[in-house]
Amino acid sequence: MPTCSGEWWAFLPQYGGYISTLCIDSPDNRLPDFPECGSPRP
């Protein structure tokens, strides 16, 4: 099973997949100027 050694991804063997280790520091708890899932494209 391949593993990822980058600083942005962590392999979770118990789930057989990866998760992002990035954290967003924004007062709105979302990416500024980035549409939310399900919103229409501009």
Side-chain angles (χ1 to χ4, degrees), residues 8-31:
W8 295 347
W9 296 98
F11 182 69
L12 302 177
Q14 67 271 35
Y15 297 105
Y18 294 85
I19 188 168
S20 172
T21 59
L22 291 174
C23 295
I24 305 301
D25 185 15
S26 173
D28 294 330
N29 289 325
R30 59 184 293 273
L31 290 172

Side-chain angles (χ1 to χ4, degrees), residues 1 4 7 20 24 35:
M1 190 173 289
C4 183
E7 63 185 53
S20 172
I24 305 301

